[in-house]
Amino acid sequence: MPPIARAHSEYLERLQTQLEAHLRRSIPAGEPELLYAPAHYVLEAGGKRLRPLLLLLACEACGGRAEQALPAAVAMELFHTFTLVHDDIMDRSPTRRGRPTVHVRWGLEAAILTGDLLMGTSYFELSRVPETDIRPLLACLHEVMLRLCEGQTLDKQFETRQDVSPHEYWDMVDRKTGALLAGALEIGARLGSASEAQIVLFRAIGRALGRAFQLQDDWLDLAADPENWGKPIGQDVLEGKRTYLLLSALERAAEEADRRLLRRVLARQATPEDVPRVRALYERLGVFEEVRSLTIGYYAEAQSAVRTLPPSQASAALEALLDSLVGRVR
């Protein structure tokens, strides 16, 4: 990943410092410990905080102040973290960011309640945005919730289907991944008094980023360094996830042995020994290179839209942040 220029880096670090301070205060250290300890555990696990940072940058790029938007930024991070806790339950994931998931460490019931607490607190934090009519913001977050739940439902349904098309895959990604990114950018833009044209622009940026992020996540599931990935390599293969890599490989594979291997993945019958075989097949069929090219293209689409914003420190930092992200796949 290329380094971000010092001026942009210092600006982003300042926003992140403010965000972290507010985020730590959002969940009390109360009783019962079985409820509050897991919530602090997942928030302290770190992460890039991209969604709240995007919200703050969109706000300032449209003439607003990050300080006013901090509760909304915290709301988006809490909401995102809630989705991760519940996703880990549904996917039976043993680790997240290199640590045991909440349901592994504290049990299924505690994990469900932790997610509920995080989601409820996200709405409360959004209500704390000062001097603002929060009704459009609440409507936006509610729309995000609907689209995200739809996307997750489709993703789970796809695991038992043999005929998922690329069009259906992209529709699922736009809901499951793109909606939250677009929602964060839209809420930030609204807090900066953006025009309707700018709001549409930020939604498009979020959609493009959602596609890039999902492709990158699908690719890293097989290509990441196991020491840095934070969860088992090849989990999508073992769970039969209908990733773009799998769908593209099914279209390209001509040899019967290759198709048998892919059919085992589709039937959720792949074993840990199959994971390196699937990776080698994707490399041989050119699927990894295709996904890399698509990912760079979607990042470029988002960057091109950002360049149409009025010049400012925030818009320049946003472009630099996106450039650092695309550097992971160049």
Side-chain angles (χ1 to χ4, degrees):
M1 182 185 300
I4 298 178
R6 182 173 179 179
H8 300 319
S9 179
E10 290 177 349
Y11 174 54
L12 291 170
E13 288 173 5
R14 175 176 62 80
L15 293 179
Q16 191 149 11
T17 298
Q18 294 174 327
L19 172 67
E20 293 292 345
H22 197 127
L23 187 62
R24 283 195 300 271
R25 296 192 297 267
S26 64
I27 302 292
E31 294 289 339
E33 185 179 359
L34 186 59
L35 174 65
Y36 292 106
H40 286 284
Y41 174 80
V42 290
L43 291 175
E44 291 164 2
K48 295 179 287 292
R49 311 296 196 211
L50 276 173
R51 290 151 191 83
L53 278 177
L54 291 172
L55 186 152
L56 296 175
L57 289 169
C59 175
E60 295 213 329
C62 294
R65 296 181 299 106
E67 290 76 9
Q68 181 192 18
L70 274 172
V74 168
M76 298 311 294
E77 184 63 14
L78 291 171
F79 193 92
H80 174 56
T81 307
F82 133 68
T83 68
L84 298 181
V85 172
H86 281 192
D87 282 0
D88 287 341
I89 294 170
M90 285 182 273
D91 294 339
R92 299 176 178 83
S93 300
T95 59
R96 165 78 63 179
R97 293 170 180 160
R99 307 195 305 172
T101 47
V102 173
H103 70 274
V104 168
R105 180 165 175 178
W106 280 279
L108 183 61
E109 293 83 0
I112 293 171
L113 288 170
T114 296
D116 293 346
L117 173 65
L118 292 166
M119 182 181 70
T121 307
S122 72
Y123 278 91
F124 173 69
E125 285 293 331
L126 191 60
S127 75
R128 298 179 64 196
V129 176
E131 303 172 8
T132 301
D133 180 2
I134 66 166
R135 287 174 296 180
L137 310 185
L138 288 169
C140 182
L141 184 56
H142 183 66
E143 181 72 13
V144 167
M145 184 194 68
L146 290 176
R147 299 290 85 79
L148 193 146
C149 289
E150 291 168 355
Q152 179 68 359
T153 301
L154 290 172
D155 193 24
K156 300 304 291 185
Q157 287 180 335
F158 288 173
E159 292 176 12
T160 58
R161 283 183 50 193
Q162 307 294 312
D163 59 346
V164 178
S165 69
H167 173 76
E168 290 176 301
Y169 169 84
W170 290 123
D171 179 52
M172 179 273 293
V173 169
D174 290 343
R175 297 171 196 246
K176 179 179 176 179
T177 308
L180 187 53
L181 289 158
L185 287 162
E186 178 179 341
I187 288 174
R190 288 187 180 279
L191 288 171
S193 302
S195 66
E196 284 302 314
Q198 286 177 322
I199 290 172
V200 171
L201 178 74
F202 276 112
R203 287 175 184 156
I205 293 170
R207 175 179 174 273
L209 286 180
R211 293 189 170 198
F213 282 13
Q214 189 62 58
L215 285 170
Q216 205 164 313
D217 194 61
D218 292 351
W219 171 70
L220 286 171
D221 179 71
L222 279 172
D225 179 353
E227 296 295 321
N228 299 323
W229 184 224
K231 54 185 178 180
I233 295 294
Q235 197 70 24
D236 288 349
V237 172
L238 298 176
E239 293 172 2
K241 290 279 188 182
R242 272 45 171 177
T243 64
Y244 188 84
L245 289 89
L246 176 59
L247 299 180
S248 180
L250 286 165
E251 290 183 344
R252 293 169 179 237
E255 299 293 331
E256 180 56 30
D258 295 340
R259 297 196 67 81
R260 278 201 304 270
L261 175 59
L262 295 174
R263 284 197 293 269
R264 286 205 298 276
V265 177
L266 282 171
R268 305 181 73 179
Q269 295 173 352
T271 66
E273 291 73 26
D274 286 325
V275 170
R277 298 183 187 120
V278 171
R279 173 174 175 161
L281 176 60
Y282 288 171
E283 288 177 337
R284 177 159 51 83
L285 293 176
V287 172
F288 278 160
E289 185 55 35
E290 179 191 9
V291 166
R292 176 179 173 275
S293 177
L294 281 171
T295 304
I296 291 172
Y298 281 120
Y299 274 125
E301 182 181 324
Q303 288 175 303
S304 178
V306 169
R307 293 189 191 106
T308 68
L309 295 169
S312 68
Q313 184 182 27
S315 60
L318 178 55
E319 185 177 348
L321 177 61
L322 297 185
D323 194 55
S324 74
L325 294 172
V326 73
R328 300 170 68 193
V329 291
R330 277 186 181 139

